[in-house]
Amino acid sequence: MTVASSPGIAVSDAKRRHAIVAATIGNGLEWFDFTVFGFFAALISKQFFPKEDPLNAILLTVTIYGVGFFMRPVGAIVLGVYADRSGRKAALTVTILAMALGTALLGFAPTYSQAGVFGAVILMLARLIQGFSAGGEVGSATSYLVEYAKPGERGLAASWQQTSQALAVVLGGLCGVAITQFLPQEAVESWGWRVPFWFGLLIGPVGLYIRARLDETPVFAAETTRKSQSPLLETLSEHGRGVASGFGVTILWTVCTYVLLFYMPLYVEKFLSIPAKDAFVSTTLGGLVLMFGCPVAGKVSDRIGRKTLLLMAACAIGVVVIPLFAWLNANPTLPVLIVVQMVLGFLLAAFTGPAPALLAEQFPAGLRSTGLSLAYNFAVTLFGGFAALIVTLLIEKTGLKIAPSFYVAAAALVSIVTLTTMRDRTGEPID
């Protein structure tokens, strides 16, 4: 049996499934390497900065974590344009190699006691390389998934992009659980925190093998698809509204992801005195809810429309996030933390599952990777990359431990306003 991935282009079901599975696995490995740093920020801060000032060490560590996001727009432009000129497969191969290099540097960087500030410099270099890689990943991977999808299943197909990010959360959480449960604290602090980065080095051989076996998308390869000689200029001049809309939607997407998932282990350990091992358990469960919820949300959006579902989810997040944080602060226990993260994980899945397709549908095939990369990565850089630093400073300046929820609620408001102005192209021909 064959299905159309775009009008006039037939693709077998088996080939489509293979393409989506391969893209999802490679994407998951890529995001594991980029995000696992955030899970172990508290441990890393003790190894790469003087221990006399713990708060300053944490601030410097989350700043280095955020530095990687400065390179996201650069990667978005360079690799997004490359994907629209040379193909999705070529760009995805470059991203996997760059991420492997950055992860290797993180896994073997010398600590403060071994090399002084030089170790922190290597961390920063590693994050810059990873940021460049991640900047090109979302646009290329999402374009790949959308262009292999059936016309009526773009939401489901593109949701696997976010599902693979949730898989990275689950893998990071499981690494944290294993390390903190089975290693003595001294071993965890001296070398155990490096284990996830050593594991992440699998992205090199495994990820490259997977992506070398990918076929170019039939939509991009088709002779009827117009390729631009200047994807960046054409995207900005002819599809500026799509970039601006995607930027606004991505604000809530990225703030929720980096505050409610990646920042939570650091937050509950430092400000609520919940043990790190409990924080990793809770984050893993929240990640599982997100991982299984995203495909469901993507499929639902194919039926009721992406705009409708995203608006419902954004409103729900804006309403419940402050009460949930207040409840957690009043009852800082593992059961409460689990409920909070699972509820927010469910709502986050409802928003982020359909979001990749919504953004991809704003651009034609010849400009899709560039437009999507620009919209997504500039928002992530400004609002997600320094989310940990911003909310830590908010807590310090306001004296309120629920301050992170204010940041999330504000992001929800911005994305709600943006969504009301967007055109929903669910089910419409886009190529």
Side-chain angles (χ1 to χ4, degrees), residues 24-42:
T24 301
I25 293 173
N27 200 48
L29 290 172
E30 174 102 358
W31 286 108
F32 173 82
D33 281 0
F34 184 72
T35 56
V36 74
F37 187 103
F39 280 116
F40 294 89

Side-chain angles (χ1 to χ4, degrees), residues 40 43 46-47 175-195 276-277:
F40 294 89
L43 292 170
K46 298 175 183 179
Q47 296 300 314
C175 282
V177 170
I179 291 167
T180 54
Q181 291 282 359
F182 300 112
L183 291 178
Q185 186 62 27
E186 182 180 350
V188 171
E189 294 190 3
S190 63
W191 60 269
W193 64 270
R194 294 185 187 269
V195 172
K277 60 182 180 180

Side-chain angles (χ1 to χ4, degrees), residues 249 306-307 310 354-362 419 422-423:
V249 170
R306 306 198 218 296
K307 182 175 177 178
L310 265 73
L358 179 75
L359 267 62
E361 289 167 340
Q362 305 304 308
L419 282 164
M422 292 184 71
R423 176 181 172 183

Side-chain angles (χ1 to χ4, degrees), residues 397-409:
K397 297 299 182 183
T398 64
L400 299 173
K401 294 180 181 179
I402 65 168
S405 64
F406 301 156
Y407 188 49
V408 175

Side-chain angles (χ1 to χ4, degrees), residues 213-402:
R213 295 170 64 85
L214 292 176
D215 292 324
E216 187 53 75
T217 70
V219 172
F220 186 83
E223 294 182 2
T224 54
T225 298
R226 188 177 71 85
K227 314 297 194 302
S228 173
Q229 295 301 309
S230 302
L232 177 61
L233 294 178
E234 192 170 333
T235 298
L236 293 175
S237 63
E238 298 185 14
H239 297 277
R241 181 175 179 179
V243 173
S245 298
F247 179 92
V249 170
T250 303
I251 289 175
L252 180 58
W253 179 356
T254 188
V255 167
C256 283
T257 299
Y258 287 99
V259 172
L260 303 180
L261 291 175
F262 298 117
Y263 179 70
M264 286 300 277
L266 174 63
Y267 171 72
V268 299
E269 181 183 357
K270 291 300 179 183
F271 297 106
L272 302 183
S273 299
I274 295 177
K277 60 182 180 180
D278 290 348
F280 284 125
V281 169
S282 177
T283 299
T284 301
L285 293 174
L288 283 170
V289 172
L290 180 62
M291 186 173 73
F292 289 109
C294 281
V296 175
K299 191 171 184 63
V300 170
S301 77
D302 284 324
R303 299 195 174 190
I304 70 172
R306 306 198 218 296
K307 182 175 177 178
T308 298
L309 185 55
L310 265 73
L311 276 171
M312 292 170 59
C315 289
I317 291 171
V319 168
V320 307
V321 67
I322 294 176
L324 285 175
F325 265 72
W327 180 43
L328 176 60
N329 275 264
N331 304 274
T333 63
L334 178 59
V336 173
L337 177 61
I338 289 174
V339 172
V340 168
Q341 287 206 273
M342 292 185 75
V343 169
L344 291 173
F346 171 78
L347 295 177
L348 182 56
F351 188 87
T352 62
L358 179 75
L359 267 62
E361 289 167 340
Q362 305 304 308
F363 308 98
L367 303 173
R368 181 166 295 129
S369 184
T370 301
L372 208 161
S373 295
L374 289 174
Y376 181 84
N377 285 289
F378 274 88
V380 170
T381 298
L382 294 174
F383 298 98
F386 289 95
L389 179 61
I390 291 169
V391 296
T392 300
L393 291 174
L394 278 175
I395 294 170
E396 183 184 4
K397 297 299 182 183
T398 64
L400 299 173
K401 294 180 181 179
I402 65 168

